[in-house]
Amino acid sequence: MGPLYLFELASSQARWLELRQSTIATNVANANTPGFRARDVEPFNKVLDGTPVRLAMTSPSHMQLSAAETDTRATAKKDSWDVVHSGNSVSLEQEMIKGSDVNRDYSMNSAIVRSFHRMLLSSTKT
């Protein structure tokens, strides 16, 4: 595996967060539509599962970890949507929770990119 580019990873997650926010907005907009089924996007960790990160040992004093200890794991998610008599499965409470999760994840993503950018700038100052 080649180098892991933080800006590329952050950009991918930002695009995923944009898609998830759009999906949540569609669910909320159709909260009263009979027969509408709530949707969600695949978790972002599925992207990371496809490219497991291996730790580099640059010093003999570093600890050696097995591949099982460094792989990311997908978590099982049960279907928590309740379908009402109209056939609609949108729960506004769940959509608001997911919306706040997107907001928190975007804020964290932005903070990490800002910090990394500051580190790069400080390393190039003379």
Side-chain angles (χ1 to χ4, degrees):
M1 183 178 134
L4 181 66
Y5 296 105
L6 180 70
F7 290 126
E8 184 179 327
L9 182 62
S11 178
S12 296
Q13 187 188 31
R15 285 191 301 273
W16 178 85
L17 289 168
E18 176 186 0
L19 176 64
R20 186 158 196 231
Q21 185 64 37
S22 175
T23 304
I24 292 167
T26 300
N27 289 344
V28 170
N30 288 291
N32 292 326
T33 304
F36 183 81
R37 297 280 188 202
R39 298 181 183 110
D40 203 350
V41 296
E42 290 291 326
F44 186 69
N45 65 352
K46 295 230 181 211
V47 173
L48 298 178
D49 286 342
T51 56
V53 176
R54 302 286 181 237
L55 300 176
M57 206 170 131
T58 57
S59 169
S61 62
H62 288 165
M63 295 184 337
Q64 186 70 21
L65 297 177
S66 69
E69 293 172 308
T70 59
D71 286 345
T72 58
R73 299 281 184 232
T75 57
K77 179 183 173 190
K78 66 177 188 170
D79 189 26
S80 61
W81 300 110
D82 293 328
V83 179
V84 294
H85 69 280
S86 68
N88 189 312
S89 68
V90 176
S91 167
L92 290 176
E93 292 84 5
Q94 287 177 331
E95 298 303 317
M96 294 300 110
I97 290 169
K98 288 193 289 185
S100 66
D101 289 346
V102 168
N103 183 30
R104 183 194 65 232
D105 291 346
Y106 180 78
S107 296
M108 184 174 59
N109 185 337
S110 300
I112 291 170
V113 168
R114 261 192 318 272
S115 296
F116 191 67
H117 184 254
R118 277 195 306 264
M119 274 192 326
L120 284 175
L121 289 178
S122 67
S123 69
T124 57
K125 285 184 181 179
T126 56

